[in-house]
């Protein structure tokens, strides 16, 4: 009896210490960096994640981040790249904020044969995390841009790394990963262009991020439906927030993406991405869009990634401030999150818990072109 009392007292003391540290109640801030401000537009991909400990991670900067001097970036500790297509790697950028319109943003400034990704990583002296066969390519590009090749961190499927208080794991994506000739030096670019080819740099990927408050976010990259979204993303890592592509043609469309959310990943909430359309007007969801179709098909809250609008998430995957609920903004019926039939996360192997422990597991130039 005395032993049981001591255990209970110990648990209560640990909980009080965690609350006093602020970790239990802390939030992760997610800020979309698209164009123009306050909208969800055709080539918006980039997101900045800020952990409660101040660690900042940039995901797929693409074209809409205006290089390393973009005032929205602030400190960047690491940059994640899912794959090398132009809308994620960045072949062009804007000279100033809000150039063009939501459906036709303007990107007249070329940054090839380097890339926006590399320029940002070098300018911010940030770690650059990539998978596949991309590390040797970007080691050289970082060096050419004046950076240190040691900034590169290779992370292939099943592997995990830490950036500050954030654990980063690599997960599969079903897509392609050909590097366009524009990112290569002249002689190689000419040969590939003449033959209609790209340079293959290994498989594409996605990521799962586990933050110090317990939030576990799945970043899909570009992907179709894959069994790993259930077996790995949900069952192994227990993602409670998803950032998922919904655009169709090159990736899952809105209904396929809704199936991924409802039946495979089953997060507490979702942020749609890669819609390849003018999804909003004056910050409100436009009727008849793919984004509206997706929002109405999912059973959990869908939060619109409006450029520059910071969203804050607790450790359970619930948005606690700054979020625009897609169904609310479209004027449709709002629905509460569906119950999540899943086991206790504390018993699931995978990414480190907030206390750092890991449970072992079982054995036209300047204009948008079609995105990929």
């Amino acid at each position: 009896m005395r032993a049981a009392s001591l255990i209970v007292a110990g648990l209560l003391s640990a909980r009080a210490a965690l609350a006093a540290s602020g970790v239990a109640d802390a939030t992760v801030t997610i800020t979309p960096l698209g164009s123009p401000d306050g909208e969800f537009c055709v080539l918006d991909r980039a997101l900045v994640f800020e952990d409660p400990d101040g660690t900042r991670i940039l995901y797929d900067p693409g074209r809409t981040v205006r290089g390393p001097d973009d005032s929205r970036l602030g400190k960047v500790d690491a940059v994640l790249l899912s794959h090398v297509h132009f809308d994620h790697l960045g072949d062009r950028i804007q000279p100033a904020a809000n150039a063009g319109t939501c459906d036709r943003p303007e990107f007249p400034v070329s940054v090839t044969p380097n890339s926006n990704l590399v320029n940002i990583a070098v300018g911010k002296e940030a770690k650059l995390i990539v998978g596949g066969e991309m590390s040797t390519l970007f080691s050289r590009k970082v060096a050419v841009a004046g950076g240190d090749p040691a900034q590169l961190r290779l992370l292939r499927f099943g592997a995990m790394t830490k950036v500050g208080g954030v654990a980063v794991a690599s997960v599969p994506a079903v897509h392609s990963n050909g590097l366009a000739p524009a990112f290569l030096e002249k002689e190689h670019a000419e040969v590939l262009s003449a033959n209609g080819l790209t340079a293959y740099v290994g498989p594409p990927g996605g990521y799962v991020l586990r933050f110090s408050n317990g939030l576990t976010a799945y970043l899909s990259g570009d992907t179709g439906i894959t069994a790993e979204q259930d077996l790995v993303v949900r069952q192994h890592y227990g993602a409670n927030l998803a950032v998922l592509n919904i655009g169709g043609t090159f990736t899952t469309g809105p209904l396929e993406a809704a199936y991924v959310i409802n039946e495979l990943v089953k997060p507490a909430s979702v942020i749609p991405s890669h819609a390849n359309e003018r999804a909003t007007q004056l910050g409100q969801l436009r009727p008849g869009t793919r984004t509206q179709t997706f929002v109405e098909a999912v059973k959990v809250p869908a939060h619109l990634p409006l450029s520059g609008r910071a969203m804050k998430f607790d450790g359970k995957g619930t948005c606690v401030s700054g979020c625009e609920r897609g169904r609310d903004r479209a004027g449709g019926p709002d629905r509460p999150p569906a119950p999540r039939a899943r086991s206790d996360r504390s018993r699931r192997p995978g990414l480190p818990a907030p206390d750092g422990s890991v449970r072992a597991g079982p054995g036209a130039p300047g204009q948008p072109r079609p995105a990929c």
Side-chain angles (χ1 to χ4, degrees), residues 13-32:
S13 297
R15 179 178 295 178
L18 189 61
S21 71
V23 173
D25 298 323
T27 57
V28 172
T29 302
I30 303 176
T31 306

Side-chain angles (χ1 to χ4, degrees), residues 157-181:
F157 302 146
M160 184 193 307
T161 189
K162 286 291 291 283
V163 180
V166 184
V168 182
S170 175
V171 295
V174 181
H175 195 55
S176 60
N177 199 25
L179 185 70

Side-chain angles (χ1 to χ4, degrees), residues 191-209:
V191 170
L192 287 174
S193 294
N195 289 277
L197 298 174
T198 61
Y200 183 67
V201 289
Y207 296 95
V208 173
L209 309 184

Side-chain angles (χ1 to χ4, degrees), residues 31-35 43-48 56-74 76 79 86-98 106-107 109 111 115-117 119-121 124 307:
T31 306
L33 302 183
S35 181
L43 285 179
D44 290 1
R45 309 287 187 263
L47 298 169
V48 172
R56 288 173 61 85
I57 296 177
L58 173 64
Y59 168 60
D60 280 0
R63 286 182 167 186
T64 60
V65 179
R66 299 183 293 276
D69 297 326
D70 191 323
S71 62
R72 302 173 297 176
L73 278 177
V76 177
V79 185
F86 80 93
D87 52 323
H88 298 256
L89 178 56
D91 58 342
R92 294 178 168 274
I93 61 174
Q94 297 181 323
N98 304 319
E106 295 176 356
F107 306 99
V109 181
V111 290
S115 65
N116 195 26
L117 171 97
N119 290 344
I120 292 170
K124 295 295 185 180
S307 180

Side-chain angles (χ1 to χ4, degrees), residues 106-175:
E106 295 176 356
F107 306 99
V109 181
S110 175
V111 290
T112 56
N114 212 335
S115 65
N116 195 26
L117 171 97
V118 169
N119 290 344
I120 292 170
V122 171
K124 295 295 185 180
E125 298 182 346
K127 293 295 182 184
L128 177 51
I129 299 175
V130 298
E133 304 296 335
M134 294 183 274
S135 63
T136 52
L137 167 71
F138 287 111
S139 292
R140 181 180 181 279
K141 285 190 173 292
V142 164
V144 169
D148 183 352
Q151 290 177 242
L152 262 292
R153 192 175 290 184
L154 177 62
L155 192 69
R156 289 188 176 136
F157 302 146
M160 184 193 307
T161 189
K162 286 291 291 283
V163 180
V166 184
V168 182
S170 175
V171 295
V174 181
H175 195 55

Side-chain angles (χ1 to χ4, degrees), residues 40 242-247 252-262 267 269-273 275 277 285 288-305 326-327 335:
F40 178 29
V243 177
L244 184 66
N245 49 251
I246 67 167
T252 50
L255 295 179
E256 293 86 357
Y259 172 80
V260 170
I261 295 301
N262 295 340
S269 54
V270 60
I271 298 172
S273 182
E277 65 181 355
L285 182 58
T289 57
R290 287 185 288 272
T291 305
Q292 184 189 34
T293 299
F294 172 76
V295 164
E296 293 181 346
V298 293
K299 299 175 182 177
V300 300
H303 303 296
L304 302 178
R327 278 184 287 270
R335 290 173 288 180

